[in-house]
Short mmCIF file of all heavy atoms in Angstrom, two decimals:
data_model
loop_
_atom_site.label_atom_id
_atom_site.label_comp_id
_atom_site.label_asym_id
_atom_site.label_seq_id
_atom_site.Cartn_x
_atom_site.Cartn_y
_atom_site.Cartn_z
N LYS A 93 3.87 -7.99 4.19
CA LYS A 93 4.58 -7.40 3.10
C LYS A 93 6.05 -7.24 3.25
O LYS A 93 6.70 -6.42 2.42
CB LYS A 93 3.96 -5.92 2.79
CG LYS A 93 3.99 -5.09 4.05
CD LYS A 93 3.68 -3.58 3.77
CE LYS A 93 3.89 -2.74 4.98
NZ LYS A 93 3.69 -1.33 4.87
N VAL A 95 9.54 -8.45 2.38
CA VAL A 95 10.24 -9.44 1.45
C VAL A 95 11.13 -10.55 2.34
O VAL A 95 11.00 -11.73 2.08
CB VAL A 95 11.00 -8.65 0.42
CG1 VAL A 95 11.83 -9.71 -0.42
CG2 VAL A 95 10.05 -7.90 -0.42
N GLY A 96 11.96 -9.97 3.28
CA GLY A 96 12.83 -10.72 3.96
C GLY A 96 12.12 -11.88 4.77
O GLY A 96 12.55 -13.04 4.71
N SER A 133 1.12 -5.35 -6.10
CA SER A 133 2.46 -4.63 -6.02
C SER A 133 3.34 -4.69 -7.24
O SER A 133 3.22 -5.69 -7.94
CB SER A 133 3.18 -5.29 -4.85
OG SER A 133 4.43 -4.82 -4.75
N ALA A 134 4.20 -3.72 -7.41
CA ALA A 134 5.16 -3.78 -8.54
C ALA A 134 5.97 -4.82 -8.39
O ALA A 134 6.82 -5.23 -9.29
CB ALA A 134 5.90 -2.43 -8.58
N THR A 135 6.05 -5.46 -7.19
CA THR A 135 6.92 -6.70 -6.96
C THR A 135 6.71 -7.87 -7.89
O THR A 135 7.43 -8.74 -8.06
CB THR A 135 6.74 -7.06 -5.36
OG1 THR A 135 7.87 -7.88 -5.07
CG2 THR A 135 5.48 -7.80 -5.12
N ASN A 155 10.49 -13.51 -5.22
CA ASN A 155 10.48 -13.87 -3.85
C ASN A 155 9.07 -14.37 -3.32
O ASN A 155 8.15 -13.99 -4.11
CB ASN A 155 11.02 -12.73 -2.88
CG ASN A 155 10.37 -11.44 -3.18
OD1 ASN A 155 9.06 -11.37 -2.95
ND2 ASN A 155 11.05 -10.37 -3.61
N TYR A 157 6.94 -13.28 -1.22
CA TYR A 157 6.03 -12.31 -1.08
C TYR A 157 5.42 -11.94 -2.53
O TYR A 157 4.23 -11.78 -2.63
CB TYR A 157 6.67 -10.94 -0.50
CG TYR A 157 5.86 -9.75 -0.77
CD1 TYR A 157 4.63 -9.55 -0.03
CD2 TYR A 157 6.40 -8.63 -1.47
CE1 TYR A 157 3.96 -8.38 -0.26
CE2 TYR A 157 5.63 -7.43 -1.66
CZ TYR A 157 4.35 -7.26 -1.01
OH TYR A 157 3.69 -6.15 -1.35
N TYR A 185 1.10 -1.29 -6.84
CA TYR A 185 1.74 -0.16 -6.26
C TYR A 185 3.25 -0.21 -6.52
O TYR A 185 3.81 -1.09 -6.32
CB TYR A 185 1.58 -0.12 -4.75
CG TYR A 185 0.11 -0.40 -4.09
CD1 TYR A 185 0.16 -0.81 -2.76
CD2 TYR A 185 -1.01 -0.15 -4.81
CE1 TYR A 185 -1.13 -1.06 -2.12
CE2 TYR A 185 -2.28 -0.38 -4.15
CZ TYR A 185 -2.25 -0.83 -2.83
OH TYR A 185 -3.37 -1.18 -2.36
N PHE A 186 3.81 1.10 -6.68
CA PHE A 186 5.32 1.19 -6.77
C PHE A 186 5.62 1.45 -5.27
O PHE A 186 5.43 0.61 -4.41
CB PHE A 186 5.59 2.24 -7.86
CG PHE A 186 5.57 1.51 -9.10
CD1 PHE A 186 4.37 1.04 -9.76
CD2 PHE A 186 6.73 1.10 -9.75
CE1 PHE A 186 4.33 0.28 -10.85
CE2 PHE A 186 6.68 0.16 -10.92
CZ PHE A 186 5.46 -0.10 -11.50
N ASN A 187 6.35 2.69 -4.86
CA ASN A 187 6.79 2.72 -3.47
C ASN A 187 6.02 3.69 -2.76
O ASN A 187 6.23 4.93 -2.75
CB ASN A 187 8.24 3.06 -3.44
CG ASN A 187 9.14 1.94 -4.14
OD1 ASN A 187 9.06 1.59 -5.18
ND2 ASN A 187 10.06 1.47 -3.30
N PRO A 188 5.09 3.27 -1.97
CA PRO A 188 4.27 4.10 -1.17
C PRO A 188 4.99 4.73 -0.01
O PRO A 188 5.51 3.96 0.74
CB PRO A 188 3.04 3.26 -0.70
CG PRO A 188 3.22 2.01 -1.50
CD PRO A 188 4.56 1.75 -1.72
N PRO A 205 12.70 -0.96 10.28
CA PRO A 205 12.11 -0.85 8.83
C PRO A 205 12.89 -1.48 7.88
O PRO A 205 14.17 -1.44 7.95
CB PRO A 205 12.07 0.71 8.69
CG PRO A 205 12.26 1.33 9.91
CD PRO A 205 13.08 0.34 10.83
N ASN A 206 12.19 -2.18 6.90
CA ASN A 206 12.90 -2.80 5.79
C ASN A 206 13.11 -1.88 4.81
O ASN A 206 13.90 -1.92 3.83
CB ASN A 206 12.11 -3.92 5.20
CG ASN A 206 11.86 -5.04 6.29
OD1 ASN A 206 12.86 -5.50 6.81
ND2 ASN A 206 10.71 -5.37 6.51
N ASN A 207 12.21 -0.82 4.63
CA ASN A 207 12.14 0.13 3.44
C ASN A 207 12.85 1.37 3.75
O ASN A 207 13.00 1.78 4.96
CB ASN A 207 10.72 0.32 3.18
CG ASN A 207 9.97 -0.92 2.73
OD1 ASN A 207 8.93 -1.28 3.31
ND2 ASN A 207 10.39 -1.63 1.69
N LEU A 208 13.17 2.10 2.68
CA LEU A 208 14.11 3.26 2.80
C LEU A 208 13.41 4.38 3.44
O LEU A 208 13.98 5.03 4.47
CB LEU A 208 14.48 3.73 1.42
CG LEU A 208 15.31 4.92 1.34
CD1 LEU A 208 16.71 4.76 1.92
CD2 LEU A 208 15.44 5.57 -0.06
N PHE A 209 12.24 4.71 3.25
CA PHE A 209 11.55 5.93 3.65
C PHE A 209 11.36 5.92 5.15
O PHE A 209 11.86 6.98 5.88
CB PHE A 209 10.39 6.30 2.83
CG PHE A 209 9.95 7.67 3.14
CD1 PHE A 209 10.51 8.75 2.31
CD2 PHE A 209 9.09 8.09 4.01
CE1 PHE A 209 10.04 10.05 2.50
CE2 PHE A 209 8.63 9.41 4.16
CZ PHE A 209 9.13 10.37 3.51
N PRO A 210 10.69 4.89 5.81
CA PRO A 210 10.67 4.89 7.19
C PRO A 210 11.96 4.82 7.82
O PRO A 210 12.12 5.32 9.01
CB PRO A 210 9.67 3.64 7.48
CG PRO A 210 9.84 2.93 6.33
CD PRO A 210 9.99 3.89 5.15
N PHE A 211 12.91 4.24 7.28
CA PHE A 211 14.29 4.21 7.93
C PHE A 211 14.87 5.58 8.01
O PHE A 211 15.33 6.06 8.98
CB PHE A 211 15.16 3.32 7.07
CG PHE A 211 16.20 2.67 7.94
CD1 PHE A 211 16.27 1.38 8.30
CD2 PHE A 211 17.28 3.49 8.46
CE1 PHE A 211 17.15 0.79 9.17
CE2 PHE A 211 18.39 2.83 9.30
CZ PHE A 211 18.21 1.61 9.70
N VAL A 223 21.63 5.83 8.24
CA VAL A 223 20.97 5.13 7.10
C VAL A 223 22.05 4.39 6.27
O VAL A 223 23.09 4.85 5.90
CB VAL A 223 20.19 6.12 6.06
CG1 VAL A 223 19.74 5.42 4.97
CG2 VAL A 223 19.20 6.87 6.84
N SER A 224 21.79 3.09 6.09
CA SER A 224 22.82 2.38 5.15
C SER A 224 22.18 2.50 3.72
O SER A 224 21.08 2.06 3.55
CB SER A 224 22.82 0.81 5.47
OG SER A 224 23.31 0.71 6.79
N VAL A 225 22.96 2.87 2.73
CA VAL A 225 22.56 3.08 1.39
C VAL A 225 22.93 1.84 0.71
O VAL A 225 24.18 1.46 0.57
CB VAL A 225 23.18 4.28 0.87
CG1 VAL A 225 22.78 4.38 -0.66
CG2 VAL A 225 22.87 5.60 1.57
N PHE A 226 22.08 0.93 0.15
CA PHE A 226 22.40 -0.33 -0.27
C PHE A 226 22.97 -0.22 -1.68
O PHE A 226 22.23 -0.39 -2.75
CB PHE A 226 21.04 -1.14 -0.34
CG PHE A 226 20.63 -1.57 1.03
CD1 PHE A 226 19.29 -1.73 1.24
CD2 PHE A 226 21.50 -1.63 2.15
CE1 PHE A 226 18.75 -1.99 2.52
CE2 PHE A 226 21.04 -2.01 3.36
CZ PHE A 226 19.63 -2.19 3.57
N GLY A 227 24.27 0.03 -1.88
CA GLY A 227 24.96 0.09 -3.15
C GLY A 227 25.09 1.45 -3.71
O GLY A 227 24.18 2.25 -3.75
N TRP A 230 25.42 1.14 -8.61
CA TRP A 230 24.26 0.79 -9.61
C TRP A 230 24.43 1.66 -10.85
O TRP A 230 24.96 2.78 -10.73
CB TRP A 230 22.88 1.11 -8.98
CG TRP A 230 22.57 0.14 -7.93
CD1 TRP A 230 22.58 0.54 -6.52
CD2 TRP A 230 22.07 -1.16 -7.90
NE1 TRP A 230 22.14 -0.54 -5.75
CE2 TRP A 230 21.76 -1.56 -6.52
CE3 TRP A 230 21.80 -2.02 -8.86
CZ2 TRP A 230 21.34 -2.91 -6.27
CZ3 TRP A 230 21.33 -3.36 -8.53
CH2 TRP A 230 21.07 -3.66 -7.34
N THR A 236 23.30 5.11 -6.93
CA THR A 236 22.24 4.53 -5.91
C THR A 236 20.95 4.17 -6.63
O THR A 236 20.57 4.66 -7.74
CB THR A 236 22.09 5.45 -4.63
OG1 THR A 236 21.40 6.73 -5.20
CG2 THR A 236 23.37 5.89 -4.10
N GLY A 237 20.30 3.31 -6.01
CA GLY A 237 19.05 2.69 -6.67
C GLY A 237 17.87 3.75 -6.94
O GLY A 237 17.79 4.79 -6.11
N VAL A 238 17.35 3.58 -8.02
CA VAL A 238 16.20 4.58 -8.36
C VAL A 238 14.81 3.79 -8.25
O VAL A 238 14.68 2.66 -8.75
CB VAL A 238 16.52 5.10 -9.83
CG1 VAL A 238 15.19 5.85 -10.34
CG2 VAL A 238 17.64 5.89 -9.90
N ARG A 239 13.85 4.57 -7.65
CA ARG A 239 12.50 3.99 -7.37
C ARG A 239 11.44 5.08 -7.71
O ARG A 239 11.77 6.23 -7.69
CB ARG A 239 12.32 3.63 -5.97
CG ARG A 239 13.15 2.37 -5.57
CD ARG A 239 12.66 1.09 -6.18
NE ARG A 239 13.49 0.02 -5.75
CZ ARG A 239 14.68 -0.34 -6.34
NH1 ARG A 239 15.32 0.38 -7.24
NH2 ARG A 239 15.33 -1.40 -5.81
N TYR A 241 8.57 6.75 -6.07
CA TYR A 241 8.01 6.91 -4.78
C TYR A 241 6.61 7.71 -5.06
O TYR A 241 6.57 8.70 -5.75
CB TYR A 241 8.85 7.84 -3.94
CG TYR A 241 10.11 6.99 -3.69
CD1 TYR A 241 11.34 7.25 -4.43
CD2 TYR A 241 10.12 6.07 -2.57
CE1 TYR A 241 12.41 6.44 -4.12
CE2 TYR A 241 11.32 5.32 -2.25
CZ TYR A 241 12.52 5.55 -3.10
OH TYR A 241 13.63 4.90 -2.82
N VAL A 278 18.33 6.98 -4.13
CA VAL A 278 18.37 7.01 -2.75
C VAL A 278 19.03 8.35 -2.20
O VAL A 278 18.60 9.08 -1.33
CB VAL A 278 19.20 5.84 -2.21
CG1 VAL A 278 19.40 5.87 -0.71
CG2 VAL A 278 18.58 4.52 -2.58
N ARG A 301 21.75 -4.71 -1.67
CA ARG A 301 20.95 -5.67 -1.05
C ARG A 301 20.49 -6.82 -2.08
O ARG A 301 20.09 -6.44 -3.19
CB ARG A 301 19.74 -4.96 -0.52
CG ARG A 301 18.72 -5.74 0.17
CD ARG A 301 17.57 -5.04 0.90
NE ARG A 301 16.82 -4.23 -0.08
CZ ARG A 301 15.75 -3.58 0.33
NH1 ARG A 301 15.44 -3.41 1.38
NH2 ARG A 301 15.12 -2.87 -0.68
N PRO A 302 20.72 -8.12 -1.74
CA PRO A 302 20.33 -9.19 -2.70
C PRO A 302 18.89 -9.02 -3.10
O PRO A 302 17.99 -8.64 -2.18
CB PRO A 302 20.51 -10.36 -1.91
CG PRO A 302 21.38 -10.06 -0.71
CD PRO A 302 21.06 -8.60 -0.49
N GLY A 303 18.61 -9.21 -4.43
CA GLY A 303 17.33 -9.07 -4.88
C GLY A 303 16.78 -7.67 -5.29
O GLY A 303 15.67 -7.56 -5.74
N ASP A 304 17.62 -6.76 -5.14
CA ASP A 304 17.46 -5.29 -5.57
C ASP A 304 17.56 -5.18 -6.96
O ASP A 304 18.36 -5.80 -7.58
CB ASP A 304 18.16 -4.22 -4.73
CG ASP A 304 17.50 -3.84 -3.56
OD1 ASP A 304 16.35 -4.02 -3.34
OD2 ASP A 304 18.16 -3.10 -2.71
N THR A 305 16.91 -4.11 -7.52
CA THR A 305 17.12 -3.69 -8.99
C THR A 305 17.70 -2.37 -9.02
O THR A 305 17.62 -1.62 -7.97
CB THR A 305 15.84 -3.73 -9.78
OG1 THR A 305 14.86 -2.77 -9.09
CG2 THR A 305 15.17 -5.08 -9.72
N ALA A 306 18.40 -2.04 -10.15
CA ALA A 306 18.92 -0.69 -10.30
C ALA A 306 17.74 0.33 -10.31
O ALA A 306 17.75 1.43 -9.58
CB ALA A 306 19.71 -0.51 -11.53
N THR A 308 13.47 0.97 -10.88
CA THR A 308 12.11 0.54 -10.95
C THR A 308 11.17 1.68 -11.13
O THR A 308 11.10 2.60 -10.18
CB THR A 308 11.63 -0.33 -9.81
OG1 THR A 308 12.46 -1.50 -9.66
CG2 THR A 308 10.18 -0.70 -9.86
C1 UD1 B 1 10.51 -3.21 -1.40
C2 UD1 B 1 10.29 -4.55 -1.76
C3 UD1 B 1 9.17 -4.68 -2.66
C4 UD1 B 1 7.90 -4.11 -1.96
C5 UD1 B 1 8.09 -2.76 -1.56
C6 UD1 B 1 7.06 -2.22 -0.68
C7 UD1 B 1 12.57 -5.65 -1.54
C8 UD1 B 1 13.67 -6.25 -2.47
N1 UD1 B 1 11.57 -5.20 -2.35
O1 UD1 B 1 10.72 -2.46 -2.65
O2 UD1 B 1 8.98 -6.22 -3.08
O3 UD1 B 1 6.90 -4.19 -2.86
O4 UD1 B 1 9.34 -2.62 -0.83
O5 UD1 B 1 7.17 -0.85 -0.39
O6 UD1 B 1 12.58 -5.71 -0.36
N2 UD1 B 1 17.35 1.16 0.50
C9 UD1 B 1 18.46 1.62 0.99
N3 UD1 B 1 18.54 1.51 2.40
C10 UD1 B 1 17.57 1.07 3.22
C11 UD1 B 1 16.41 0.51 2.53
C12 UD1 B 1 16.37 0.66 1.09
O7 UD1 B 1 19.56 2.13 0.40
O8 UD1 B 1 17.73 0.98 4.40
C13 UD1 B 1 17.34 1.42 -1.08
C14 UD1 B 1 17.00 0.19 -1.86
O9 UD1 B 1 18.15 -0.59 -2.29
C15 UD1 B 1 16.27 0.72 -2.97
C16 UD1 B 1 15.49 1.91 -2.44
O10 UD1 B 1 16.25 2.25 -1.22
O11 UD1 B 1 17.10 1.20 -4.05
C17 UD1 B 1 14.05 1.64 -1.96
O12 UD1 B 1 14.05 0.49 -1.16
P1 UD1 B 1 12.72 0.02 -0.32
O13 UD1 B 1 12.09 1.15 0.30
O14 UD1 B 1 13.07 -1.21 0.39
O15 UD1 B 1 11.77 -0.37 -1.56
P2 UD1 B 1 11.96 -1.49 -2.68
O16 UD1 B 1 13.23 -2.28 -2.63
O17 UD1 B 1 11.85 -0.75 -3.95
#
Side-chain angles (χ1 to χ4, degrees):
K93 60 170 186 179
V95 173
S133 167
T135 199
N155 54 58
Y157 165 67
Y185 312 156
F186 281 68
N187 291 62
N206 300 304
N207 298 120
L208 177 68
F209 198 83
F211 209 104
V223 176
S224 296
V225 176
F226 297 147
W230 292 102
T236 65
V238 169
R239 295 289 181 277
Y241 296 94
V278 175
R301 178 172 64 179
D304 268 352
T305 56
T308 296

